[in-house]
Amino acid sequence: MLDAVPISPISQLDALFDRICIKLQLSATAYGLAANRYGSVSEWLNDEKSPLARYKPRIYPQGSLNLGTTAKPFGKAEYDLDFVCEFAIEFEDRPNPLSLLDWIEQKLSEHEVYKQMLERMNRCIRLTYANDFHLDILPACPNPSAGLFGKTCVLVPDARLEDWKHSNPLGLADWFRFKAAEAFKNFSRGSIKPLPEQVAYEDLATLQKIVQMMKRNRDVRLEHLEEKERPISIVLTTLAARLYDGQPSPTLALIQVLDALIDEIEASGTKRLVIINPTNENEDLSERWESRPELYQIFVDWVYDFRSELGSIVEIRGLDKIEAKLKEMFGETLAKDAIAEFAKSINVPRENGTLAVEKGTGLLVPATVAHSTTVKSNTFHGRE
């Protein structure tokens, strides 16, 4: 609370980043709607009259929905939500990889509503709910032979290659959650304590916020590119989880992750980074960089630019100037709403005369702090 601690430039940015991340998430209503819809799809695929029923297909979320890192897409209304449809097929009896896509497409095309919404993609079948979200269904079959993490490893079809690809969405999600919790716990054992007013990580862990901000900045700064040319979310998520050291401040954590990433980029020299699924050594999450090196360069340039932007905003003073920079980094509406909510949160102490600026530091502090000047009710941090 304001009457207990000063508001430093970093904790102010943390408060703004928290608000941005919360707005990037699926609302409780939207999440419930998504859960209801994928539940309905699962029931349809499991219909006892369906030829698929004998394979006991089950649908479970993967990617941002399972990781808690959903980020509202920039410039469009729909969220892209990813699900796996895993068939209980013995590894030795697995069919042609394209058969799984055929099975799901055929079954969905028999539904009066779904047949109007479906689209076949390279590795999934997409259902588009206008103005809500895309529901991408990735067919899979178990791959228990995949070493240490074989229990959750799967094979997924690749239509272009007409072959199987290795994956492990459940294992990766478990690893991500472990990294989020374990790194935070280990960091907290040290001499640095979490910042005041830190959002409980059970609600939204710092690592999740880092991923959300990386994805949002990518979408804003690389809006001119096609989605398939931008760094893919699973690569950003895996890198952030691997490099995150537990710092509870979203601002400092994001800086730390990007600095560590830049160190890895520079250490790799002319070779690209290879991002392997930590729970399936056979899956190269960054494989598209191999055939398209220009996409790796786009990723590298974006990392340096994002780190530069963070360095700039940390030095900026005054909400008007911070808002302008946030608009460049995360989009106009998101930045404007975050600033408005933050200003409102300290409006009461400003109006009742309990908000002050500490001389020499410029920190916002309670008016009872010595050597501070009370903030007038009609100004705040340079904003008229």
Side-chain angles (χ1 to χ4, degrees), residues 71-132:
K72 185 175 178 60
F74 181 67
K76 61 179 182 179
E78 297 87 0
Y79 284 86
D80 296 322
L81 305 180
D82 299 317
F83 298 88
V84 175
C85 180
E86 185 175 343
F87 295 94
I89 301 173
E90 293 295 330
F91 180 72
E92 297 79 6
D93 298 330
R94 64 191 187 281
N96 178 288
L98 300 188
S99 297
L100 271 65
L101 285 166
D102 294 338
W103 293 352
I104 294 178
E105 183 178 26
Q106 177 59 39
K107 181 58 182 175
L108 292 176
S109 68
E110 296 171 2
H111 191 284
E112 287 301 314
V113 176
Y114 299 150
K115 70 180 182 181
Q116 308 294 331
M117 305 159 55
L118 66 85
E119 178 183 3
R120 183 165 176 148
M121 314 296 285
N122 181 47
R123 295 190 184 182
C124 69
I125 302 298
R126 170 172 293 177
L127 292 177
T128 300
Y129 296 84
N131 301 318
D132 287 324

Side-chain angles (χ1 to χ4, degrees), residues 120-306:
R120 183 165 176 148
M121 314 296 285
N122 181 47
R123 295 190 184 182
C124 69
I125 302 298
R126 170 172 293 177
L127 292 177
T128 300
Y129 296 84
N131 301 318
D132 287 324
F133 43 73
H134 298 141
L135 196 160
D136 288 344
I137 306 170
L138 174 72
C141 64
N143 182 18
S145 67
L148 179 63
F149 297 94
K151 185 176 180 181
T152 54
C153 287
V154 294
L155 292 170
V156 300
D158 187 302
R160 281 194 292 269
L161 298 178
E162 296 187 5
D163 200 358
W164 295 102
K165 301 292 290 186
H166 293 273
S167 190
N168 190 4
L170 287 179
L172 187 60
D174 288 342
W175 173 81
F176 179 87
R177 285 189 287 267
F178 171 80
K179 295 288 288 186
E182 190 67 13
F184 185 92
K185 181 176 67 176
N186 290 339
F187 190 96
S188 298
R189 291 195 188 111
S191 59
I192 302 177
K193 296 181 180 179
L195 293 175
E197 299 294 318
Q198 175 68 25
V199 177
Y201 86 84
E202 291 86 357
D203 296 328
L204 190 64
T206 302
L207 178 55
Q208 292 169 308
K209 298 173 188 177
I210 293 171
V211 174
Q212 287 180 308
M213 288 188 285
M214 292 175 74
K215 289 162 62 175
R216 178 65 173 196
N217 184 266
R218 169 204 62 188
D219 291 342
V220 171
R221 286 309 196 182
L222 302 180
E223 183 189 15
H224 60 287
L225 300 176
E226 294 184 24
E227 286 190 28
K228 62 184 179 181
E229 296 178 323
R230 305 172 195 171
I232 61 175
S233 295
I234 194 59
V235 164
L236 302 185
T237 300
T238 303
L239 284 168
R242 180 163 58 78
L243 298 173
Y244 173 57
D245 70 359
Q247 167 64 251
S249 160
T251 306
L252 297 179
L254 186 54
I255 290 173
Q256 176 264 312
V257 165
L258 290 176
D259 281 346
L261 180 52
I262 287 173
D263 287 344
E264 288 199 359
I265 290 171
E266 293 182 348
S268 68
T270 58
K271 296 181 180 179
R272 73 171 180 93
L273 293 181
V274 178
I275 316 303
I276 300 297
N277 183 335
T279 66
N280 190 333
E281 62 185 11
N282 295 309
E283 183 179 13
D284 178 2
L285 301 172
S286 57
E287 63 180 356
R288 65 176 61 185
W289 290 343
E290 188 65 31
S291 59
R292 298 194 61 185
E294 72 275 13
L295 300 187
Y296 178 65
Q297 190 58 50
I298 288 171
F299 161 75
V300 170
D301 292 342
W302 168 76
V303 170
Y304 278 94
D305 289 344
F306 192 18

